[in-house]
Amino acid sequence: MSGSSADPTSGAGDDPAKRQAVIERLDRVEDPELARSIVELDYIDAIEIDGGRVEVRFTLPTAWCSPAFAWMMATDARDEVEGLDWADEARIELCDHMHGAEITTGVNARDTFGETFPDADGGVAEVRAAIADKARVSTQRAAVDALLDAAVDPEQVVALDRSDVDVAGDEAHVDLGGLSVVVDADPIADYLDRVETSGHVTGPDDTLFLTPEGDPIPAERLDVVQKRSRLASVNMGGQGAVCDALHRARHGPDGPDGSGASYVDQSGGELSAYDGDVDEFTSTWTLSSDD
């Protein structure tokens, strides 16, 4: 079944409250390479609810999107929907993909990625970890930039721990040892979400900003880490722009739902040649004394 222009937010005979609950759950599922919701990206084609059974159909920008990424989105969607107390079973269908049949069958059978693709070189865990690190590093760059723009010294930035930062509404309050600096909450909150979810920062005394390898940053190396962090933003921005172009080519200029919503590149206008290879990604983050 191909991606359609049907509005997944409405369905004849469905309980509107249940449908909205499913959409909110799916909104938590991200395209792992873009770190954006599959709902926001208009990947969802249809949602069908029959009592406690939910069926979700989705389509990616191209038929050859990474099977590992597609698998992650499909399993995350299944798990999120089945987290609803009234949902007994979620069936996920990946449409118009070169491995759509295998992924649909494997995900709904509760098989592993390795069982579905026995010839694959590695599983999704390594890919998921690498992508999560890329998102962590990318959001760290924006958070550090917000502090530097507020005239916080590099020495003060690298000395911060989790207890020094408090997000309240639209503001983030940063304690610099008796002096409080207020910055926009968005980049700080985004970074805290990523770094805490990844497990790099778990307690109030944990160092807040880290190298891509997870180590404390020497103050004199902060500019190097920021330059390397920018690569993550450029990679995600470039991939997002490419995916948006492919998505529009597939569904038309107005997108699958006719909204005309488009991807906003937040990388500063630069594109990337990153192709999703884990070894290429991880090698980007080597921090040597020669940099």
Side-chain angles (χ1 to χ4, degrees):
M1 181 177 295
S2 64
S4 71
S5 60
D7 181 0
T9 64
S10 63
D14 286 344
D15 181 334
K18 285 187 174 182
R19 176 168 291 272
Q20 183 59 35
V22 171
I23 292 170
E24 289 175 0
R25 285 284 181 157
L26 293 174
D27 196 40
R28 301 181 186 182
V29 179
E30 293 184 343
D31 182 319
E33 198 165 21
L34 306 183
R36 293 176 64 211
S37 159
I38 63 173
V39 173
E40 177 190 357
L41 290 165
D42 292 326
Y43 290 176
I44 305 300
D45 296 325
I47 298 169
E48 295 181 5
I49 302 172
D50 182 8
R53 188 175 188 274
V54 181
E55 181 169 339
V56 176
R57 295 192 292 275
F58 75 108
T59 304
L60 300 178
T62 74
W64 57 89
C65 285
S66 163
F69 292 164
W71 182 274
M72 290 161 62
M73 285 180 267
T75 55
D76 288 352
R78 179 198 66 199
D79 294 345
E80 284 291 348
V81 173
E82 290 185 347
L84 294 166
D85 56 10
W86 54 265
D88 300 321
E89 178 188 7
R91 183 183 185 279
I92 311 299
E93 180 180 352
L94 174 60
C95 305
D96 290 349
H97 189 277
M98 62 186 297
H99 294 294
E102 298 100 307
I103 290 173
T104 296
T105 299
V107 168
N108 293 313
R110 268 59 178 182
D111 292 337
T112 66
F113 183 78
E115 289 171 333
T116 301
F117 297 100
D119 296 329
D121 184 13
V124 297
E126 183 183 12
V127 176
R128 191 184 289 273
I131 293 297
D133 249 7
K134 184 170 73 168
R136 172 183 67 86
V137 174
S138 175
T139 55
Q140 174 173 292
R141 168 185 167 266
V144 170
D145 278 348
L147 295 175
L148 295 175
D149 289 345
V152 179
D153 293 336
E155 291 80 5
Q156 294 172 313
V157 171
V158 300
L160 292 172
D161 58 35
R162 178 62 184 89
S163 65
D164 293 325
V165 178
D166 179 54
V167 176
D170 296 333
E171 297 179 341
H173 297 259
V174 183
D175 183 1
L176 301 176
L179 174 66
S180 180
V181 173
V182 179
V183 298
D184 179 37
D186 286 347
I188 304 297
D190 287 346
Y191 173 66
L192 291 176
D193 178 59
R194 298 290 177 180
V195 76
E196 290 174 350
T197 299
S198 69
H200 286 81
V201 171
T202 58
D205 297 327
D206 288 346
T207 300
L208 188 58
F209 297 114
L210 306 166
T211 68
E213 295 79 15
D215 300 320
I217 305 171
E220 67 274 12
R221 308 294 290 165
L222 182 60
D223 61 333
V224 175
V225 173
Q226 283 296 90
K227 289 177 182 177
R228 294 191 178 277
S229 297
R230 181 168 182 76
L231 293 175
S233 298
V234 170
N235 284 335
M236 296 179 79
Q239 289 296 313
V242 170
C243 284
D244 181 59
L246 293 171
H247 197 53
R248 285 170 172 269
R250 191 171 205 184
H251 293 289
D254 292 329
D257 64 353
S259 68
S262 64
Y263 174 78
V264 178
D265 180 3
Q266 300 178 356
S267 69
E270 300 179 50
L271 298 183
S272 164
Y274 172 66
D275 63 2
D277 180 81
V278 173
D279 290 335
E280 177 186 338
F281 166 73
T282 52
S283 67
T284 301
W285 306 123
T286 302
L287 184 62
S288 72
S289 59
D290 297 330
D291 290 317

